[in-house]
Amino acid sequence: MNSQVITNHKQLLEYNKQIVQRLMKYSGLDKNLVQNIVKFSKCLCKPGYNSIDCEIFSVVLSTYFNIIDQTALMKVYSRKARGQPDNQMAMEDFAKILCAFLTNNLDLKIDYVFKIYDIDGDGIIDMAEVNHFVKSCKCVTDADEADKDETFYDLSQMATTLLDIGAEGVTLDKFRAKVKNYSLILSVLGEALPNQGFIDRFRQQIADKTNLQMMQTFGDIRYQLLREIPDNSSPSYYPIILDLP
């Protein structure tokens, strides 16, 4: 990453343009929608930061996408935030997650979900990773103590069978082929993606809005969700130190 100090509004606009272009290339979504995804994400940033903290990340997933069991997605947050200032996720990485939710590109969704389930990032989903997610499954955690072992075993066997996991684990190519034959595999280890109804509702909330409409709708969304004291000070852009790839 190359560090760049933004010292004027023109540079800030150029930086935002670069983010939008990267997200459009990543997701295939149209420019206006991506711009509004970025604006929504910026409204969630903690005052003084260009990043998303864990608390607002969790609340947005549950409020807008009804993702209550966040075990899988919190793995993404932790991996992205590790080593970052104050252990926060970069705003662009958060916007990228929203793009993955809204895109109709199945291959992109498959890649996204695979990276969530592949905890150690070695390119393979193995039994240890399957068991990790199954142990956190609501069906297991809510089971009576006497039934927990049996419930865990049943769910683990089901996931293993669906994914066809052998001693070598499951590669991305194999996972992709399985999903295209049986789409429910995308959620077999947890809520990595929201229900389509919530995706459509969120799209309707942000699509085709102007800059002013976005600010009117979401300008104080962080305060509304977290009940923080709103920051009513005038925005300051200079100097802003940002990292570009």
Side-chain angles (χ1 to χ4, degrees), residues 114-151:
F114 184 87
K115 289 177 182 177
I116 291 177
Y117 293 160
D118 178 19
I119 297 173
D120 58 12
D122 66 351
I124 294 174
I125 300 174
D126 56 31
M127 279 305 304
E129 288 162 334
V130 169
N131 290 337
H132 175 88
F133 284 113
V134 170
K135 284 179 181 177
S136 303
C137 178
K138 185 174 176 61
C139 296
V140 174
T141 56
D142 285 355
D144 294 336
E145 286 298 326
D147 296 331
K148 276 190 175 182
D149 287 344
E150 184 176 351
T151 303

Side-chain angles (χ1 to χ4, degrees), residues 56-70:
I56 193 68
F57 177 83
S58 178
V59 172
V60 169
L61 292 181
S62 59
T63 302
Y64 282 92
F65 299 102
N66 197 39
I67 297 181
I68 307 301
D69 178 7
Q70 298 179 20

Side-chain angles (χ1 to χ4, degrees), residues 6 8 55 57 62 96 124 137 186 213 218 238:
I6 291 182
N8 59 61
E55 187 175 12
F57 177 83
S62 59
K96 201 170 184 179
I124 294 174
C137 178
L186 278 177
Q213 289 172 328
F218 302 110
Y238 325 114

Side-chain angles (χ1 to χ4, degrees), residues 50-232:
N50 193 44
S51 55
I52 305 294
D53 53 89
C54 185
E55 187 175 12
I56 193 68
F57 177 83
S58 178
V59 172
V60 169
L61 292 181
S62 59
T63 302
Y64 282 92
F65 299 102
N66 197 39
I67 297 181
I68 307 301
D69 178 7
Q70 298 179 20
T71 302
L73 283 174
M74 288 308 296
K75 296 297 177 186
V76 174
Y77 181 90
S78 299
R79 195 156 61 226
K80 292 291 186 182
R82 189 179 301 123
Q84 299 300 314
D86 296 312
N87 290 317
Q88 296 193 23
M89 175 185 282
M91 183 279 297
E92 185 175 348
D93 285 332
F94 179 78
K96 201 170 184 179
I97 290 176
L98 298 185
C99 286
F101 288 172
L102 269 62
T103 185
N104 291 322
N105 186 325
L106 178 59
D107 283 314
L108 188 152
K109 289 181 182 291
I110 291 171
D111 292 346
Y112 171 75
V113 172
F114 184 87
K115 289 177 182 177
I116 291 177
Y117 293 160
D118 178 19
I119 297 173
D120 58 12
D122 66 351
I124 294 174
I125 300 174
D126 56 31
M127 279 305 304
E129 288 162 334
V130 169
N131 290 337
H132 175 88
F133 284 113
V134 170
K135 284 179 181 177
S136 303
C137 178
K138 185 174 176 61
C139 296
V140 174
T141 56
D142 285 355
D144 294 336
E145 286 298 326
D147 296 331
K148 276 190 175 182
D149 287 344
E150 184 176 351
T151 303
F152 167 74
Y153 177 80
D154 289 343
L155 290 175
S156 180
Q157 286 296 109
M158 180 187 72
T160 301
T161 300
L162 287 174
L163 293 172
D164 192 19
I165 292 182
E168 72 285 356
V170 176
T171 63
L172 174 58
D173 287 342
K174 187 175 180 181
F175 183 75
R176 191 185 311 281
K178 289 289 180 183
V179 169
K180 291 189 174 182
N181 285 328
Y182 189 52
S183 61
L184 289 178
I185 289 176
L186 278 177
S187 59
V188 70
L189 296 181
E191 294 178 309
L193 292 170
N195 178 277
Q196 187 61 45
F198 288 93
I199 294 173
D200 294 340
R201 185 179 305 172
F202 180 73
R203 182 190 291 268
Q204 291 172 1
Q205 287 179 295
I206 69 169
D208 301 322
K209 277 187 167 64
T210 64
N211 288 345
L212 179 59
Q213 289 172 328
M214 285 295 293
M215 287 307 300
Q216 289 174 335
T217 305
F218 302 110
D220 62 349
I221 191 63
R222 181 183 173 92
Y223 166 68
Q224 292 176 18
L225 293 174
L226 299 184
R227 293 300 175 189
E228 292 182 336
I229 298 174
D231 181 8
N232 295 320

